[in-house]
Amino acid sequence: QIEQIDIGGPTLIRAAAKNFEHVAVIVRPADYEWALLRLQAGGLSREDRALLAYRAFAHVAEYDALIADWFRRFDPDGALPETLTLTYRLAQRLRYGENPHQQAAFYREPFAPHGCIATAEQLWGKELSYNNLLDADAALELVREFEQPACAIIKHTNPCGVALGESITEAFLRALEADPVSAFGGIVACNRPIDREAAEAMVAPGTFFEVVLAPDFAPDALPLFQERKGWGQNVRLLRTGELPPPSQLHGYAVRSLTGGALYTERDTIDWNPDALQVVTERTPTESEWVDLRFAWRVVKHVKSNAIVVAKGGVVWGVGAGQMNRVGSVRLALEAAGEHARGAVLASDAFFPFPDSIDLAAQAGIRAIVQPGGSKKDPEVIAAANETGIAMVFTGVRHFRH
């Protein structure tokens, strides 16, 4: 592999680009016809040659960055290197960014893994927007958490419906039932192919979705979306291929700051039974353990402060993005309503005070999973014991900003 690294080619390209005042260097076949037309019309202007020089330097820079990335494995500090050189390729120019007055484009990693939003194939519908891509990515990363059929409905990167089922149809209907109001205009992701039965459920009267993505779509399912009156012509249908589990997608995420960037390991840690600690007098029942695991996997995909109320493999209430934890608890319990009785509750971080436990008990919550680690843990545990709630500490926090 080392012998495949080109030395002379990049050197010649750099030299020609540096001498752009007198030389035109072309590295993209797509530029051949453009350059030929200009030559036939009298020649390449200085601005034309400068543009070609820019593309040449960018081409060589990407080549060098990919080689450096391969060699980074030999650096003891390679996971967090002194110089971070990343390269992405333009995948799509977007109509606008997060808002209409912002420009935007979608860039793809040169070797993006299969089964992710960057490699998904759009089978139908309008051009994807900036917000569509953000929400679709959030939906896909959530459903890949589960081994059995799962469906997630996302609005503004937060789940408003998540459920498991014996089939994708059942999972979708259960997810929709939890919050049909918020689901309207949302993004639907499934971790199994969508068959005709599931498509019929998704296009039923009263529904509207911006994006539907799944590993695949049955041939007889596609026309049901395409011919759906009202929004069928616009709905974006994305085929992702088989979804690898989070454990196979280790890597790092980049967040832009003004004047810099944050580079962090992805949160792919899974439920670890050996690390769990039951801290209350009551131990969760077998069914509560199942729901605690389900809720814990969902809550790490909710914006902090995050609370999830679940029962029977369905998320019935979500509290997201509140500035205090008890506020998120109130929202989740209110959304769950009567479904909170006998349900479990998951929190992405510890409870700073026992007030959240009191609210959960009043609503009928029977078990709670949280990281633990608060100075008030003894008071929180005491509140759980007083109300008969089983509480499990994971030792793992799942902040999401």
Side-chain angles (χ1 to χ4, degrees):
Q1 289 183 337
I2 296 297
E3 294 304 318
Q4 294 178 2
I5 297 177
D6 191 357
I7 300 300
T11 301
L12 291 171
I13 291 173
R14 286 173 56 87
K18 177 183 177 181
N19 198 29
F20 79 95
E21 294 284 5
H22 309 287
V23 176
V25 54
I26 303 176
V27 296
R28 304 192 319 175
D31 289 333
Y32 290 171
E33 184 177 358
W34 172 84
L36 181 60
L37 290 173
R38 276 164 170 72
L39 289 170
Q40 292 173 340
L44 292 161
S45 67
R46 185 178 187 276
E47 289 72 21
D48 292 336
R49 297 192 303 275
L51 172 61
L52 292 172
Y54 154 70
R55 290 175 176 167
F57 279 121
H59 184 73
V60 174
E62 180 192 37
Y63 184 73
D64 288 341
L66 293 173
I67 295 171
D69 185 63
W70 186 88
F71 275 103
R72 192 168 64 162
R73 69 190 69 186
F74 301 105
D75 181 357
D77 299 318
L80 300 171
E82 288 190 18
T83 301
L84 182 62
T85 304
L86 304 174
T87 181
Y88 297 88
R89 294 174 183 168
L90 180 67
Q92 181 181 346
R93 297 188 189 280
L94 306 175
R95 285 179 297 154
Y96 53 80
E98 196 162 13
N99 299 292
H101 62 274
Q102 297 170 275
Q103 294 187 55
F106 174 43
Y107 290 85
R108 182 184 295 120
E109 294 177 1
F111 302 107
H114 294 292
C116 70
I117 191 62
T119 53
E121 177 188 5
Q122 184 169 353
L123 303 178
W124 179 261
K126 288 174 60 178
E127 176 185 342
L128 286 160
S129 72
Y130 179 97
N131 293 324
N132 288 157
L133 288 163
L134 278 177
D135 288 340
D137 180 62
L140 195 61
E141 295 311 299
L142 200 166
V143 295
R144 80 165 75 248
E145 294 274 356
F146 303 104
E147 298 83 11
Q148 65 191 98
C151 179
I153 306 174
I154 299 291
K155 289 287 284 291
H156 301 293
T157 71
N158 282 307
C160 57
V162 187
L164 307 178
E166 293 299 319
S167 67
I168 279 299
T169 303
E170 182 184 17
F172 167 74
L173 291 173
R174 299 178 86 203
L176 180 65
E177 180 187 1
D179 189 354
V181 174
S182 297
F184 191 83
I187 277 70
V188 178
C190 302
N191 66 352
R192 296 287 195 282
I194 292 176
D195 56 18
R196 182 179 180 85
E197 182 185 45
E200 287 175 341
M202 293 178 188
V203 302
T207 64
F208 164 50
F209 300 110
E210 291 272 0
V211 181
V212 179
L213 59 161
D216 205 353
F217 292 79
D220 58 350
L222 284 173
L224 295 177
F225 289 105
Q226 295 165 341
E227 298 168 8
R228 172 44 161 98
K229 185 178 180 181
W231 50 270
Q233 289 298 310
N234 296 328
V235 62
R236 294 90 166 166
L237 303 179
L238 302 183
R239 178 166 58 197
T240 65
E242 186 177 353
L243 302 181
S247 60
Q248 295 182 19
L249 292 178
H250 285 306
Y252 285 75
V254 182
R255 292 284 295 270
S256 175
L257 303 179
T258 301
L262 292 171
Y263 189 63
T264 179
E265 186 177 2
R266 293 186 181 277
D267 186 4
T268 58
I269 193 168
D270 200 3
W271 180 264
N272 181 6
D274 295 333
L276 303 178
Q277 181 184 7
V278 178
V279 295
T280 48
E281 297 167 359
R282 191 174 83 81
T283 298
T285 65
E286 184 177 347
S287 63
E288 288 168 356
W289 274 118
V290 172
D291 279 335
L292 287 170
R293 182 187 184 191
F294 169 67
W296 183 86
R297 282 177 159 180
V298 173
V299 79
K300 78 179 193 179
H301 295 273
V302 178
K303 292 294 178 68
S304 302
N305 288 305
I307 298 293
V308 164
V309 173
K311 181 170 61 178
V314 179
V315 170
W316 293 106
V318 175
Q322 298 304 297
M323 283 61 74
N324 61 77
R325 190 153 300 278
V326 72
S328 287
V329 171
R330 286 195 182 96
L331 285 176
L333 294 173
E334 180 182 345
E338 286 302 312
H339 292 289
R341 194 157 301 280
V344 306
L345 183 148
S347 176
D348 67 331
F350 64 64
F351 293 99
F353 302 101
D355 51 359
S356 293
I357 312 305
D358 296 336
L359 284 176
Q362 293 169 20
I365 295 295
R366 295 297 294 150
I368 293 175
V369 60
Q370 58 133 325
S374 168
K375 292 181 179 180
K376 297 292 183 73
D377 274 352
E379 296 179 32
V380 170
I381 295 170
N385 281 327
E386 289 172 8
T387 53
I389 290 177
M391 182 172 288
V392 177
F393 282 6
T394 65
V396 178
R397 191 183 73 184
H398 284 306
F399 270 172
R400 187 177 183 87
H401 293 91

